[in-house]
Amino acid sequence: MKSYITTPIYYVNGSPHIGHAFTSVMADILKRNRQALGCDVMLSTGVDEHGQKNQEAAAELGMGYQEFLDMRGKEFRSVFDLVGISYDYFVRTSREGHKQAVAGMEQTIFDKDLIVKKNYTGTYCKGCEEFKKESDLTEDGQCPLHPTMQVEQTEETNYFLKMEPFRERLLQHIADNPDFVQPEAFRNELKQMLAEPLEDLCISRPKSRVTLGVDLPFDPDFVTYVWFDALTNYLTNIDWPEDGYQSWWAECEHLIGKDILKPHGVYWPIMLMAAGLPLPKKLSVHSHWVGAGGVKMSKSIGNVVDPIEVVEKLGVDALRWYLARHMRADSDSQISVELITQTYNSELGNKIGNLLSRVAKFSNKNFGGKVPAPGPLSAEDEALRKSVVEAASGFSRWIDLQDIPARTQAIVTLAEEMNEYIDKQAPWTLFKSEDTRERCQTVIYVTLDCLRVIMEALQQVIPGSADKALAMLNAPAAPRPWTPVLDRLEGNGDLGEIESLFPRVQ
Ligand code: MSP
């Protein structure tokens, strides 16, 4: 079975921020989950290098395009490497093969008489890189997504893709495939966008305004609209139009933020229909991160969360964990360095890391650095083991974007149960008497073996720390395809070197 997961490709007009890191980390979690289930996975992420915004950003820095794009490309790549994204393909839309394929797609659609040339007067938002209708703007005439960027009045001759002939078909596709857009709130939002007749989509920009882009194959005075160019990455990454892309394309899932639902839910499917290509399998949509107190992040308020700063201060898994655990499906979620620190200390440190180091150190001291061999299991042991298998099996099932917070929450609830178990069983007291020594061994074995199962599950979310913990437990390689199997720690087997997994940070 195959799975092709894509993230948006990010504009390079600024440095990578937490929103970029978020979608790519979620894609990475999904990839690790599906690989654990035995799936063949391809993950693409990368940068969107064309368009007016990027062009102006290069000019502001006084840099040539190539030099600017190379610099930003490296910057994005190094942040994705830093946060542990196991991408298979890093997209750069300036790649020659991509540009040729974009032009090929345009020519195909042009040859079907679905592209028309006409004069257009309208309001343009540079932030969105698109023309806006009056009803798209705020009361004072600005773009609601980019209130600080003034919209501009533009009169231009351009090429337009006919959209309306495809609207009914797209609505039908959404009705026939309830899974096409997830979660439901965004499916409804998309249906709303398709409720009225669609205007033609402007797919070109005159070179007098924008030069950083793909030349229109049928008119050298124009470059391709940056969204037409960028969306096509999802096909060019898997070598479309060369043969062989089909099996990946049939299993393609796009992860996107809610602000880019329209390009992915309206423009892209219609481009594909116009070119005679099948639609992707799924659009998984997420909400946004905002600062503490629900305030939008901005440099002037000083509440911007910089992924590099978080990793330097707390480590990569503190960041990955927070992003996985605390994005709400239905509304924007809050993030700040303080919130990440609190979650790291309380969930990873106090509930999971401390338990492991307490029990492993106890074994080191009292059982000569070995995993004690268990005796007969009590009802309480069995109950805990059942909970472990239940919570961990959330990771031996297919995970979709919107499942991630609940599946990780289940591990936290389980860790709480394990802490209660160990406090109640009190192995340190059991150890004191010969009569209860075997019971002590059993409690420690059960705890260590349950922690091993949890860490195998967490390899999908915080792989660096999970691998470290599994090395401390000297655990055998996890089964593939992965399922939570108990009793894989060897009784009387050696433990590895014990170190603090999530050292406390003030
Ligand atoms: N280049 C286009 C995408 C083209 S995909 C064919 C673009 N780039 S972007 O850099 O502006 O944004 C990319 C993604 O970052 C979007 O999914 C957007 O939702 C996400 N985020 C930007 N800010 C965000 C938050 N504060 N929180 C979560 N995600 C956010 O649009």
Side-chain angles (χ1 to χ4, degrees):
M1 170 129 182
K2 283 186 165 177
S3 165
Y4 171 31
I5 306 166
T6 71
T7 77
I9 50 173
Y10 308 107
Y11 287 129
V12 291
N13 60 327
S15 292
H17 60 61
I18 201 75
H20 305 143
F22 171 66
T23 318
S24 295
V25 168
M26 294 309 106
D28 180 69
I29 293 173
L30 298 185
K31 172 176 171 177
R32 289 176 199 267
N33 166 252
R34 291 164 195 190
Q35 278 183 323
L37 307 190
C39 208
D40 196 4
V41 189
M42 150 106 183
L43 163 56
S44 71
T45 192
V47 287
D48 185 349
E49 300 181 283
H50 293 149
Q52 192 171 357
K53 255 200 296 200
N54 291 335
Q55 178 177 317
E56 288 178 4
E60 263 168 43
L61 293 176
M63 290 171 89
Y65 292 156
Q66 203 52 54
E67 188 194 2
F68 173 76
L69 296 177
D70 289 347
M71 172 195 78
R72 284 284 199 233
K74 263 196 212 133
E75 201 181 342
F76 272 84
R77 225 180 154 116
S78 74
V79 169
F80 292 155
D81 290 337
L82 181 73
V83 298
I85 314 298
S86 56
Y87 52 84
D88 300 284
Y89 189 76
F90 188 85
V91 186
R92 291 192 60 178
T93 51
S94 59
R95 180 175 65 88
E96 211 40 57
H98 167 79
K99 294 200 283 189
Q100 276 168 19
V102 168
M105 169 101 125
E106 267 164 340
Q107 189 67 52
T108 304
I109 301 177
F110 186 75
D111 292 343
K112 292 185 181 183
D113 286 333
L114 290 166
I115 293 177
V116 289
K117 188 177 186 183
K118 59 185 177 184
N119 195 42
Y120 189 86
T121 310
T123 310
Y124 192 79
C125 169
K126 243 189 294 174
C128 297
E129 298 266 19
E130 67 179 4
F131 286 99
K132 295 280 169 187
K133 287 189 294 206
E134 212 173 301
S135 57
D136 293 332
L137 303 175
T138 59
E139 270 175 16
D140 51 358
Q142 293 306 323
C143 169
L145 298 174
H146 301 95
T148 55
M149 268 183 202
Q150 294 288 322
V151 292
E152 290 163 6
Q153 285 310 309
T154 311
E155 188 190 345
E156 271 175 10
T157 297
N158 269 309
Y159 288 88
F160 291 78
L161 170 64
K162 293 183 196 165
M163 304 285 276
E164 181 56 17
F166 300 98
R167 185 169 61 93
E168 285 296 334
R169 210 173 120 194
L170 180 50
L171 275 168
Q172 194 56 51
H173 182 84
I174 297 166
D176 294 344
N177 299 277
D179 230 22
F180 180 57
V181 182
Q182 287 289 349
E184 197 186 350
F186 293 111
R187 178 159 74 248
N188 292 336
E189 202 176 311
L190 178 59
K191 283 203 279 200
Q192 213 46 49
M193 290 175 191
L194 294 165
E196 302 279 320
L198 293 174
E199 285 185 13
D200 298 343
L201 175 69
C202 180
I203 56 134
S204 68
R205 297 292 181 265
K207 282 193 182 160
S208 55
R209 180 151 70 95
V210 186
T211 52
L212 188 56
V214 178
D215 282 0
L216 267 199
F218 40 83
D219 191 336
D221 291 337
F222 292 84
V223 296
T224 304
Y225 173 38
V226 66
W227 270 104
F228 189 107
D229 164 359
L231 288 161
T232 309
N233 92 87
Y234 299 134
L235 278 172
T236 59
N237 303 341
I238 46 172
D239 282 343
W240 176 86
E242 299 298 320
D243 220 25
Y245 76 92
Q246 294 88 340
S247 58
W248 287 114
W249 184 240
E251 299 302 331
C252 180
E253 171 179 357
H254 300 315
L255 308 190
I256 58 166
K258 62 180 183 180
D259 56 317
I260 55 174
L261 177 59
K262 193 173 183 186
H264 284 83
V266 180
Y267 305 167
W268 180 225
I270 290 182
M271 282 167 60
L272 289 164
M273 286 177 183
L277 289 163
L279 304 196
K281 198 167 184 180
K282 195 170 197 176
L283 292 181
S284 287
V285 190
H286 62 75
S287 297
H288 281 183
W289 291 102
V290 291
V295 185
K296 196 173 167 21
M297 281 184 270
S298 89
K299 284 201 183 112
S300 54
I301 302 177
N303 63 350
V304 174
V305 177
D306 174 8
I308 301 179
E309 188 192 318
V310 174
V311 173
E312 279 169 0
K313 182 169 175 217
L314 300 162
V316 57
D317 287 336
L319 177 67
R320 289 178 65 106
W321 182 255
Y322 190 86
L323 295 176
R325 266 276 287 127
H326 292 283
M327 172 56 87
R328 301 149 55 122
D330 49 348
S331 61
D332 290 346
S333 309
Q334 298 183 20
I335 193 165
S336 68
V337 177
E338 203 175 8
L339 284 168
I340 301 172
T341 311
Q342 274 167 18
T343 300
Y344 165 79
N345 282 333
S346 71
E347 294 181 350
L348 292 181
N350 295 351
K351 289 179 186 160
I352 300 176
N354 282 0
L355 180 63
L356 174 60
S357 72
R358 246 161 94 202
V359 179
K361 280 181 188 156
F362 183 87
S363 291
N364 254 351
K365 183 164 159 226
N366 299 311
F367 299 115
K370 290 192 184 295
V371 178
L377 299 181
S378 71
E380 280 142 322
D381 303 337
E382 294 289 16
L384 179 72
R385 283 155 51 101
K386 187 162 170 269
S387 300
V388 167
V389 170
E390 260 170 34
S393 67
F395 293 85
S396 62
R397 281 179 283 131
W398 186 271
I399 302 183
D400 281 317
L401 178 66
Q402 62 275 12
D403 300 327
I404 295 175
R407 304 276 168 105
T408 43
Q409 166 62 50
I411 298 290
V412 177
T413 309
L414 175 67
E416 286 162 0
E417 192 181 329
M418 288 184 73
N419 278 288
E420 280 163 26
Y421 165 86
I422 199 101
D423 287 345
K424 188 157 166 241
Q425 300 299 321
W428 35 90
T429 311
L430 294 171
F431 186 77
K432 286 183 189 145
S433 151
E434 273 297 332
D435 298 346
T436 49
R437 183 93 23 110
E438 188 189 65
R439 179 66 201 141
C440 170
Q441 287 180 211
T442 307
V443 169
I444 297 293
Y445 179 85
V446 166
T447 310
L448 289 174
D449 191 55
C450 287
L451 279 164
R452 173 193 56 79
V453 175
I454 292 181
M455 289 304 168
E456 286 178 3
L458 290 183
Q459 281 183 311
Q460 296 173 26
V461 185
I462 46 171
S465 303
D467 286 348
K468 217 159 121 183
L470 289 167
M472 287 191 226
L473 293 169
N474 199 12
R480 280 288 180 272
W482 186 74
T483 46
V485 182
L486 292 165
D487 294 327
R488 293 186 70 254
L489 268 194
E490 199 189 327
N492 286 323
D494 289 327
L495 283 171
E497 198 178 319
I498 310 303
E499 46 183 322
S500 176
L501 202 53
F502 305 111
R504 195 172 178 80
V505 177
Q506 289 311 322

